[in-house]
Every structure is written in C-alpha cells, then in structure tokens.
Amino acid sequence: MEEQNFSIDINTGKLLEWLISRRHCNKDWHTKVLVIREKINNAIQDMPEHDDIAKLLSGTYINYFHCLKIVEILKETEADTKNVFGRYGSQRMKDWQEIVKMYEKDNVYLAEVAQILIRNVNYEVPSTKKQIQKLEQTQIDLDKKEVEYKKSENTARSEFNLLCKQLGIPGEHIKQELAEKVKELPEIYENIAKKSKSLEKATEFYSGFVNYTLGRLHDGGCVPMVKYVIEKGNTTTYEWIYGEPPLSISEPPLNVKTDEDLANRKVEDTENAEIDFGEIDFNVDVDLGGDINLEGEGNIDWGEGNVEEVALEDIDFNVSLEESGIVVEAAGHEGGVASGSEAYTVLDNTSTRSDFMNQLFELEAFLKLRLYELKVDDRVNFLSFSQFHDSSSVLQYSNLENTQNMLDNVQVVLSQMLDTKVQHLHNIKHSARYMDVLATTLKQKLSLVDKMIALQNAMKQKKKDAAREVESLQPLLQCIIQRTKELQTQIEQDISKKYKNRIVHLTGGISTL
C-alpha cells in the first residue's frame, strides 16, 4: 500500500531508454514497426465513411491508441458481419485486429508512442512555434521596409515636384513643356533689364569712389556691362560690340528636340526611304556668253588680243576702294546683319551674361564693404568720410540708408539672374544636351516613384502571404499540442497499469514548452 503512494517520475526525453532498460520493450522494436506501418497504410485504403474515423485520421500520425479507437468504431459499422461465435467476417475488422495484436506483441506500441512523444516535444512543437515566430518577425520587417519605401517615394516625388515648380512646368510632357518655357526668356531678361535701372546710383557711387581713390578715371570704366544695360537695356550683342543696332537679326534656331519631334522624324525617315527623282534631262544648252569655238582640235578662240608682259614693280597696289568702284559694307555699319552669338541679347549671350553677373557681384561686394564701414563707430565713420569733402556729391551724401537701398537693389537683380528657373532655361537654350539630361533626371524621379510604389505593393503582398501562413500554422500547432498531451496521458496510464496503478509523471513534457 505504501509503494502505491510513491509516484514514478520519468523524463520525457529519456522515456524510450527507460522502457528498454526496464525490458518493457525490445531494442529491435523499430524493425517490427515497419511491418505494422505497411499494414496500416494498406488498411486505410478501405475504410467506411464515418465522421469519427475521418476526424481520427486527420492531422496526426496514427498510433496504437488510434487503432484501438478504430476497432471500436468498426464494431458498430461492421456489426452485421458478426457470426454466432462472435467473430467478424469483415476483412476490415480482421486487418485492424491483426494490427492491434502486432502492436501489443513485445509492447511495440509503447516504444513507438514514446518515440512519437519525444519527437513532438523536442522537435515538432518547437519547430512549428519557431516557424510562426519567424513569420511574425518577417511581417514586422516587411512593415519597416514598406515605411522606408514610402519615405523614398515621398522624397523622389518631392524632388520631382520641386524641380517642376522651379521650372514652372506641370511635368506631364517634359520636353515639350521645357521647349515652351524657353520662349519666356526674352520677357524675363527684359524685366531684369528694366529692374537694372534702379542700379544707376549704385554704379555712380562705385565709379565715383574708384575714380576718387585712383585720382583719375578708371581705365575702361567700372562695371561697363551693368552701365550699358542700365542705359541701353537688353540690346543685341551686335549693338554692344559695334555701338549701333543691326538692320536685321538672324538668331540661331533653338536646338531643342522634343519626343514629338523625334517621333515625327522617324515617320519622315520611313516615308522618305525611297525617293523617285523622275526623268532628268542632262542635255541642257548653256549660254556662256561670247563666241566659243570648240570645233577642230578643241582649242578655244579668244579672239585677237595684245598680251604684254607686266612687271610686278610696275603695278600700283595702293588703289582706294572708291577708285576701284568696289563697295564694302563693314561689320557694325548700316546694312549689318546680327547673326550667330551676336544675335543674342547681352543678357542671353553666355559671354556678356557672365560679365554682367560678375560685375553685379563686384558691385555687391563693394556696397557690403561700404555698409560695414558705415556701421562702425561714428567717430571713425566721420574721419573716414570726411576725406571726401572735395569729391562728388554721390560720395559726400552717402549714408547708411542710401547704401543699404543700393545694396538691396543690386541683390534683387542678382537674385533674378541667379534664379534656378532662369539658369535652367538659359542652359536648355544654349546646350542641346542639357535638356536631355534635365528631362532624364525628371523621368528618373518619376521612375523611382513608380519603383517605390511597386516595392510597397510587393511588401504588402508578402505580409498577406506571411499572415495567411501564420493562420494556417496556428491550428496545426494547437492540434499537435493537444494530441501530444493526449498521448502523454495515455502513456502515463499505460505504464501505471504495469506498476499496480502507481501514479506516473512524464516530466519535461509538453507543459514545459
């Protein structure tokens, strides 16, 4: 009686070793199991339709205890095959009864279920849990990637919109829109030229200061291009060079190829692949004037003439154009045609435009220095500017407010010339390749946006796939845990019967997972 009060504790991982060491099972049990498994596979092929059997055979590995339940169910379904001696004539019943007997011989079933329990506890349940955790972590990682791709999409879209805003285009047909925007340059430069008139006092102040400092007029004058734009406006480069406007202007055509132009060019090349010149008559009479005798030996009769030898020293090369009757229209005079780079306006011509901007920077630097000197101590300021008592009125009456106003005017004009849109349009007009580079940059931004959207959709789809897989694994995990708990209880009860119903505990089992 006292012995039954002591429980038998067996570590689940060493259950099979314990059964063999206690000689409940033989070491060669696995060879006999192979034969039994083959019979089970054959018997399953012929089973009656029964809900309990279908539930029993689903989602788990069939073991000895399942076979016992199947035999009990077959006692109901095959009851009409039972004879007077209590034996069943059904082959199904005979097959499963034979399987149960083979399991019970040498306790083969106990070794097999012990191995199944160990495998479930050590591998099946942990592996399934690990797989679920991995899928859940995958969903978290995919969420992070989706956020990153969204951020990249927003960045690329913002850069595209910002560049389009700077260029003043919607960005739907990039090259066509840029070609249209280039036509706005003359108006833009005209407005800048008008704004430059506000720099007159600044240029006078600068010139007066330089001339007074040098004690003479500055060679070539100070900021001549700025002064010219103030006085003449945005004239052609021709007029800047020669001092008078041309009679006609032949500006180089805008070398901009849009996508539509390229498409039309391809169509024209296809249509003009074969050209029919028709019938050409090369027998054309040409009147060269005078009498030309090509008869005889083909010598030309030049008529009677008197040819004298003339020495080079006897020739007078000092002949005036008027005496010779030759009229030459010199460049820059009446009848001149502004062509090439001379046809561009001074603010549009790359060379004169650069001079204009450099002189604006020069003027800005001078005014900043003057402004700094005006802001220092009043005594120092008085001593510094008292030297200009015999200078021009512009220098004598310059103060902090006037200088600041002049600097503001210079910076306004400079900012308009340095405007991103103006620089882009200028480069497009004067560089055929620049438009291609700019359009390619914008298209790459849009392409990156599309790519990021596609990657976000891919991440969402992968998350859905991972979530579906988790949903399918969760019921499987619960099923394995439930069947493992049942198997653990059945093994404990079976071993308990062999030890006079002593309590048996399988430690380290499914409850620890």
Side-chain angles (χ1 to χ4, degrees):
M1 188 68 180
E2 294 180 357
E3 183 180 358
Q4 292 180 346
N5 294 331
F6 292 98
S7 62
I8 301 175
D9 296 331
I10 307 170
N11 185 276
T12 302
K14 297 181 179 180
L15 176 60
L16 187 57
E17 296 178 10
W18 186 89
L19 292 172
I20 293 174
S21 65
R22 299 301 190 275
R23 297 191 179 183
H24 294 295
C25 303
N26 296 329
K27 291 182 180 181
D28 61 346
W29 64 271
H30 56 278
T31 58
K32 297 177 181 179
V33 166
L34 294 176
V35 178
I36 298 172
R37 300 310 307 180
E38 185 177 355
K39 286 188 172 293
I40 290 175
N41 291 334
N42 294 332
I44 288 176
Q45 305 302 321
D46 181 26
M47 294 295 292
E49 294 183 3
H50 196 280
D51 293 339
D52 292 339
I53 292 179
K55 184 178 179 181
L56 196 63
L57 298 179
S58 63
T60 187
Y61 186 81
I62 298 177
N63 56 56
Y64 166 74
F65 298 106
H66 293 140
C67 294
L68 292 178
K69 292 181 180 179
I70 291 173
V71 170
E72 292 298 322
I73 295 172
L74 289 177
K75 287 180 180 180
E76 298 177 5
T77 60
E78 309 298 319
D80 55 344
T81 64
K82 191 174 182 181
N83 57 27
V84 295
F85 299 103
R87 296 181 180 179
Y88 291 89
S90 171
Q91 186 61 39
R92 295 172 182 170
M93 179 63 79
K94 291 179 180 179
D95 291 340
W96 287 103
Q97 286 178 339
E98 184 182 0
I99 291 170
V100 170
K101 289 179 180 179
M102 294 175 68
Y103 260 135
E104 292 176 346
K105 186 178 181 181
D106 297 329
N107 293 325
V108 172
Y109 74 92
L110 197 55
E112 185 190 41
V113 294
Q115 186 188 50
I116 294 173
L117 179 66
I118 294 171
R119 185 174 66 245
N120 287 353
V121 171
N122 293 340
Y123 302 104
E124 295 295 337
V125 174
S127 175
T128 307
K129 284 185 175 181
K130 187 175 181 181
Q131 190 175 358
I132 292 174
Q133 291 173 355
K134 185 177 180 181
L135 289 169
E136 290 173 345
Q137 182 61 43
T138 299
Q139 293 180 70
I140 296 174
D141 295 339
L142 291 172
D143 277 330
K144 292 180 180 179
K145 286 185 178 181
E146 185 180 354
V147 171
E148 292 176 1
Y149 292 143
K150 183 63 178 178
K151 184 178 180 181
S152 299
E153 177 203 345
N154 293 336
T155 301
R157 194 184 297 278
S158 298
E159 291 175 354
F160 175 82
N161 292 335
L162 177 61
L163 189 51
C164 286
K165 185 178 179 181
Q166 290 174 348
L167 295 169
I169 61 174
E172 296 176 357
H173 305 285
I174 297 172
K175 286 192 174 182
Q176 288 86 338
E177 293 165 2
L178 290 176
E180 288 297 321
K181 278 293 174 182
V182 171
K183 297 177 182 178
E184 298 179 6
L185 271 179
E187 183 179 355
I188 294 173
Y189 286 140
E190 189 64 29
N191 292 333
I192 293 176
K194 291 179 180 178
K195 196 68 178 178
S196 298
K197 295 185 181 297
S198 63
L199 307 182
E200 186 173 2
K201 290 185 178 179
T203 56
E204 290 179 1
F205 182 37
Y206 183 40
S207 298
F209 184 89
V210 172
N211 293 336
Y212 182 81
T213 304
L214 293 176
R216 57 180 176 82
L217 293 177
H218 182 271
D219 295 336
C222 300
V223 291
M225 180 56 69
V226 176
K227 290 180 178 179
Y228 178 82
V229 174
I230 293 171
E231 181 182 356
K232 299 286 187 179
N234 188 30
T235 68
T236 61
T237 308
Y238 181 99
E239 185 173 348
W240 156 255
I241 295 174
Y242 302 114
E244 61 184 40
L247 292 181
S248 61
I249 301 173
S250 178
E251 185 174 317
L254 183 63
N255 189 16
V256 172
K257 299 296 183 183
T258 64
D259 295 333
E260 185 177 352
D261 295 335
L262 296 175
N264 294 335
R265 180 65 180 274
K266 290 181 180 179
V267 173
E268 291 177 2
D269 291 343
T270 304
E271 292 176 350
N272 299 329
E274 296 182 2
I275 303 176
D276 184 8
F277 291 96
E279 297 181 358
I280 301 176
D281 184 9
F282 292 96
N283 298 319
V284 181
D285 294 331
V286 181
D287 184 7
L288 299 177
D291 297 330
I292 300 177
N293 183 13
L294 296 177
E295 297 178 356
E297 297 179 358
N299 297 324
I300 300 175
D301 184 8
W302 297 100
E304 295 182 359
N306 185 14
V307 180
E308 298 181 358
E309 294 182 358
V310 181
L312 291 176
E313 56 268 17
D314 296 333
I315 300 175
D316 183 9
F317 290 97
N318 299 319
V319 180
S320 65
L321 294 175
E322 290 80 3
E323 294 175 354
S324 64
I326 301 174
V327 178
V328 177
E329 294 180 354
H333 289 74
E334 291 185 3
V337 176
S339 61
S341 60
E342 293 180 357
Y344 293 125
T345 62
V346 290
L347 296 183
D348 195 15
N349 188 307
T350 303
S351 177
T352 53
R353 182 177 187 273
S354 178
D355 292 341
F356 180 74
M357 292 178 64
N358 288 337
Q359 291 172 22
L360 286 177
F361 282 121
E362 180 182 344
L363 198 57
E364 181 189 36
F366 165 75
L367 292 172
K368 283 183 177 179
L369 183 60
R370 293 300 100 198
L371 194 63
Y372 173 77
E373 292 176 348
L374 288 167
K375 289 180 179 179
V376 298
D377 185 73
D378 293 338
R379 183 177 59 83
V380 177
N381 182 25
F382 173 77
L383 292 174
S384 175
F385 284 90
S386 62
Q387 302 174 19
F388 300 133
H389 65 280
D390 57 345
S391 64
S392 64
S393 59
V394 176
L395 294 180
Q396 292 183 26
Y397 294 104
S398 62
N399 53 41
L400 183 65
E401 183 180 357
N402 293 338
T403 306
Q404 183 64 59
N405 289 337
M406 288 187 286
L407 177 60
D408 292 341
N409 292 334
V410 171
Q411 289 177 337
V412 167
V413 177
L414 193 56
S415 65
Q416 290 179 348
M417 289 295 295
L418 293 174
D419 183 72
T420 306
K421 175 183 176 180
V422 176
Q423 294 189 66
H424 280 308
L425 295 180
H426 178 83
N427 292 335
I428 290 171
K429 182 176 181 179
H430 295 278
S431 175
R433 191 168 179 272
Y434 188 84
M435 173 181 274
D436 295 333
V437 174
L438 190 60
T440 301
T441 301
L442 285 168
K443 289 177 181 178
Q444 285 177 346
K445 299 295 182 185
L446 285 179
S447 177
L448 182 59
V449 169
D450 295 337
K451 183 179 179 180
M452 292 300 105
I453 292 175
L455 288 173
Q456 289 175 63
N457 293 333
M459 296 303 103
K460 290 178 181 177
Q461 184 59 44
K462 288 183 178 179
K463 282 196 301 181
K464 290 180 180 178
D465 295 340
R468 280 197 296 266
E469 195 169 350
V470 169
E471 290 177 0
S472 64
L473 287 174
Q474 288 287 5
L476 177 61
L477 176 62
Q478 296 303 321
C479 180
I480 295 174
I481 292 175
Q482 181 183 351
R483 295 294 174 87
T484 303
K485 289 181 177 179
E486 293 175 359
L487 189 60
Q488 180 177 339
T489 303
Q490 290 167 344
I491 293 174
E492 289 174 345
Q493 292 174 355
D494 194 275
I495 295 175
S496 177
K497 292 177 182 178
K498 298 180 184 299
Y499 288 91
K500 300 178 181 180
N501 295 325
R502 287 175 60 183
I503 299 174
V504 176
H505 292 299
L506 294 179
T507 60
I510 196 70
S511 59
T512 61
L513 297 178

